[in-house]
Amino acid sequence: MAISLYDLGVKSYLQIVPSVSSFLAKGRSYFEENQRDLNDIVKLRLYDDMAPFTFQLFSVAHHSLGAIKGLQNGEFNPPNVPRGLDYAALQELVSNAEAQLRALDVDTVNGFEGGEVVFKMGSTSLPFVAEDFIMSFSLPNFYFHATTAYDILRKEGVPLGKMDFLGGMRMKGA
């Protein structure tokens, strides 16, 4: 069975992005029940030299929906995270990414197969073919940032388990 660009990218994103929305909702409930300030949560990091929770969630959207836009435009850049995003704005950002991913046309995405996309960061340019960009750059970054956001919530006591992360797996007959 051949696998399409849509299957590689969009379906993989749509397995995890709804999970991110779900664990964000669980986190919000947990923090509100425990009288934790959500404005403090968005600044948290796993380790001092790691990017904060805000960056992790912005990057989930950037390395999913933004990656598809990069395929369309032929160029992908590092995320430019706006200042002042609060917890609710991060939830909305992830929710909007999911809605836009769901609205993508399969044939349009598959039409990017074999196309070129360049990752540009300052004077660095990394050229990719669409499939390799998704498989070797976008998806690893996407999973890294989704996992890091999950881990920050777990570190803060949010009762999450592996199934909260895995989302809607693509099982036989489903």
Side-chain angles (χ1 to χ4, degrees):
M1 170 180 126
I3 188 161
S4 71
L5 188 59
Y6 183 90
D7 293 337
L8 287 174
V10 177
K11 283 187 176 181
S12 295
Y13 303 138
L14 285 173
Q15 177 178 342
I16 302 300
V17 171
S19 296
V20 173
S21 286
S22 180
F23 69 63
L24 282 172
K26 286 184 178 186
R28 180 183 200 99
S29 293
Y30 177 83
F31 296 129
E32 287 173 347
E33 288 169 13
N34 289 280
Q35 300 176 344
R36 296 273 312 269
D37 187 344
L38 291 172
N39 291 321
D40 292 339
I41 302 304
V42 298
K43 300 172 193 169
L44 293 175
R45 302 166 188 260
L46 278 181
Y47 201 75
D48 290 342
D49 68 350
M50 291 182 77
F53 190 64
T54 301
F55 182 86
Q56 305 306 328
L57 291 165
F58 193 88
S59 294
V60 166
H62 186 67
H63 284 285
S64 58
L65 179 62
I68 300 300
K69 289 179 180 180
L71 294 179
Q72 182 178 14
N73 300 329
E75 186 175 312
F76 185 80
N77 306 98
N80 185 13
V81 183
R83 294 189 183 273
L85 291 174
D86 63 10
Y87 201 96
L90 293 170
Q91 286 183 287
E92 184 177 345
L93 178 74
V94 173
S95 178
N96 288 341
E98 178 184 351
Q100 290 180 58
L101 285 164
R102 290 193 186 285
L104 290 170
D105 178 70
V106 174
D107 292 333
T108 299
V109 174
N110 287 338
F112 302 138
E113 287 180 17
E116 293 182 16
V117 62
V118 177
F119 172 69
K120 289 187 177 181
M121 183 172 69
S123 63
T124 301
S125 289
L126 304 174
F128 292 95
V129 173
E131 295 82 348
D132 292 333
F133 171 73
I134 294 295
M135 292 299 295
S136 70
F137 186 82
S138 172
L139 282 171
N141 274 286
F142 170 75
Y143 289 123
F144 175 85
H145 293 294
T147 301
T148 303
Y150 170 95
D151 290 344
I152 289 170
L153 293 180
R154 284 288 294 133
K155 177 181 151 287
E156 294 302 310
V158 178
L160 299 171
K162 187 182 234 180
M163 295 310 290
D164 291 304
F165 183 86
L166 288 178
M169 295 175 281
R170 293 176 263 171
M171 294 181 273
K172 182 179 177 180

